[in-house]
Structure formats: structure tokens, C-alpha cells
Amino acid sequence: MDQGFFLLFATVSVITALMLVVARNPVHSALALMACFLQISAIFVLLEAPLLAVIQIFVYVGAIMVLFLFVIMMIDMREAVLQRFLPGGNLPALVLLVVLGVEMIVLVFWSDSFSVATPATAGGGDTIRTLGTTLFADYLLPFEAASVILLVALVGAIVLARKEPG
Amino acid sequence: MVPLSWSVLLGVVLFVIGAGGVLLRRNILVVLMSLELLLNSVNINFIAFGRHYDDFRGQIFAIFVIAITAAEVAVALGILVALVRNKHTLKVDDVTIMKG
């Protein structure tokens, strides 16, 4: 049951990711990426991380992709739509991609630890409560650093996008 | 119960697709979106390993990755808007001022 759903979501997410890369119009790319993020959040549910699934939908689909769509609407895209790929010289990049993929897959399937190791006992219980306690007790400093980074990014984005005075 | 290797394989496939978008596309917006896809495939790995070893640190790392991604996108799109206002281009190849 779980495996069937995982295969379904994984297939759809890979297809939408390919559409993201291949689509000529950036709006289509953004919509395909939105669909891909929804599939990935469903996969997070299957991986027993419901909080992460909700955060994924809120932050990625709700905030980041809407930001992308706003910027696409603000910018005049007409001449950028026409050109899809670099006219030539794609070969090194393609070779690099193939090497990267083959290397990662070989490393995954050569190591026995993936198939042998038995999964730990199902967590169950109050996972979200434990997660929150861990986040605010053991990881308080990174949490505060992340909040400062978000504040700096907010101020920086406003300063960058502002028109020059005078 | 989903095997760990399936999740890792999905992460690999999405990472390669996202890297292809970063390397092959010339549109800055699509390059940024492919970057999001890369970060998401890493998140899948974090959460899959976190569940496999019954450890919360995977999910906590994923939360931090999402937060940093939000900051990165805000800054990147601000730079993009300033770039389009000044140079009227969206192609990666046209933005080579800092090449020296």
C-alpha cells in the first residue's frame, strides 16, 4: 500500500521535475515545480514526517512559488521565452550530469547497508511534540541564527529591490 | 513501509534533474527554480535517513534547510529585480560583469 503510493508520487514528481526543466515558458516551469513540491510533501507524509509536509506546502507552494510568480509577472519575459537552451556547448554539462547520476546510483546500490539494515522501530507516539522540544531545547542557537538570517534576508531584499533614491 | 533505497533513488533522480536545469537552462528564473528542486531532493534524503535511523535530527535539518531556502529566494529575487531594472536581460550569459 505504502509502496504503491510512494511509486505513484515519485513518478509524478519526476515527470513534473522534467517538465520544469524542459518547459519553454517560465510560468509553466513554475507551475510544474509547484506540482512537484506537492508530490514531495505527499512523500514526506509517507516518510512519517507530517509536520515537514505541512511546512513544505506552506513555505514552498504557498510562499516561494507565489513569490516566483509575482516576479515573473513583474518582468517582461517576451525575449527570454524564445531561447530554451544554450545554442552549443552542452556536451560537457551532459557528460557531467550522466557521471553524477551514475556515480550516485552505483554508490547507493553497492553499499549493503541500505538493504541489510532493518528499519528502527516505528516511532509512533507524539513525534511532533518531541520534535518541537528537541528543536527548542537542543537546537535553540541554530534556530535563533536562522531567524536572524531571515531578518537579514528580508532587509536585504527590500534594499536590493528598491529604486535608487534621487 | 517504503525501503530506504527507494527514497535515496528518488533523491538522486531529482538531484540530477535539478542539476540539469541549473547547467543547461539559460533563463535565470528557471535556474533559480532548479536550485529549489536540488534543495528539495536533499531534504528527501534527510527525512528518509532520519526515519530509517529513528532520529529527529533529519527533520530538524530539513526545517533549517527550508528556512535558509526561503532567505535565499528572497535575496535572489531581489537581485533579479534589480538586474532586470538595470540591464534588461534574463539570460545567464549576459551577466558576466564580475568575471574580471
Side-chain angles (χ1 to χ4, degrees):
Chain A
M1 184 73 177
D2 270 7
Q3 301 189 355
F5 274 121
F6 184 89
L7 283 182
L8 175 68
F9 294 140
T11 316
V12 177
S13 69
V14 168
I15 290 172
T16 48
L18 280 174
M19 279 169 59
L20 154 75
V21 176
V22 172
R24 188 171 284 253
N25 193 332
V27 179
H28 297 168
S29 294
L31 292 178
L33 188 57
M34 254 188 206
C36 186
F37 283 160
L38 285 175
Q39 305 304 317
I40 291 176
S41 80
I43 286 172
F44 285 173
V45 172
L46 286 181
L47 291 177
E48 293 166 14
L51 180 68
L52 261 295
V54 173
I55 289 178
Q56 168 100 356
I57 290 180
F58 279 176
V59 175
Y60 276 105
V61 182
I64 291 181
M65 293 319 293
V66 171
L67 197 62
F68 267 108
L69 287 177
F70 269 130
V71 171
I72 290 174
M73 279 191 280
M74 280 171 58
I75 299 174
D76 186 17
M77 307 281 305
R78 264 165 293 179
E79 43 96 22
V81 167
L82 295 177
Q83 192 177 21
R84 186 189 297 183
F85 295 120
L86 193 66
N90 273 338
L91 198 61
L94 283 174
V95 171
L96 183 67
L97 285 177
V98 170
V99 168
L100 186 70
V102 169
E103 179 199 2
M104 285 198 279
I105 288 175
V106 163
L107 283 180
V108 166
F109 286 101
W110 259 7
S111 65
D112 298 329
S113 54
F114 289 109
S115 49
V116 172
T118 56
T121 55
D126 221 349
T127 55
I128 293 180
R129 178 187 299 269
T130 321
L131 182 65
T133 312
T134 316
L135 186 62
F136 282 108
D138 298 341
Y139 291 87
L140 189 60
L141 184 64
F143 189 82
E144 297 294 335
S147 65
V148 172
I149 287 174
L150 281 171
L151 177 67
V152 171
L154 174 72
V155 176
I158 291 173
V159 170
L160 281 172
R162 184 183 60 175
K163 274 200 167 60
E164 294 291 327
Chain B
M1 204 69 183
V2 184
L4 175 64
S5 56
W6 290 14
S7 312
V8 178
L9 194 62
L10 176 67
V12 168
V13 172
L14 287 183
F15 192 91
V16 170
I17 292 175
V22 171
L23 291 176
L24 298 179
R25 291 299 299 255
R26 295 295 101 189
N27 190 330
I28 298 179
L29 271 167
V30 182
V31 169
L32 284 176
M33 288 188 227
S34 305
L35 222 66
E36 303 301 307
L37 191 60
L38 288 181
L39 289 162
N40 246 288
S41 68
V42 174
N43 268 352
I44 292 177
N45 270 358
F46 271 133
I47 292 177
F49 277 102
R51 191 199 64 154
H52 188 256
Y53 291 108
D54 202 11
D55 197 334
F56 284 115
R57 278 174 287 185
Q59 296 193 31
I60 286 170
F61 260 86
I63 289 175
F64 285 126
V65 169
I66 288 176
I68 300 304
T69 306
E72 172 246 327
V73 166
V75 175
L77 289 180
I79 292 175
L80 183 66
V81 169
L83 176 77
V84 170
R85 187 177 293 146
N86 288 326
K87 285 198 68 170
H88 300 288
T89 181
L90 269 179
K91 279 187 232 148
V92 179
D93 299 324
D94 291 348
V95 192
T96 53
I97 313 169
M98 295 184 71
K99 204 187 270 177

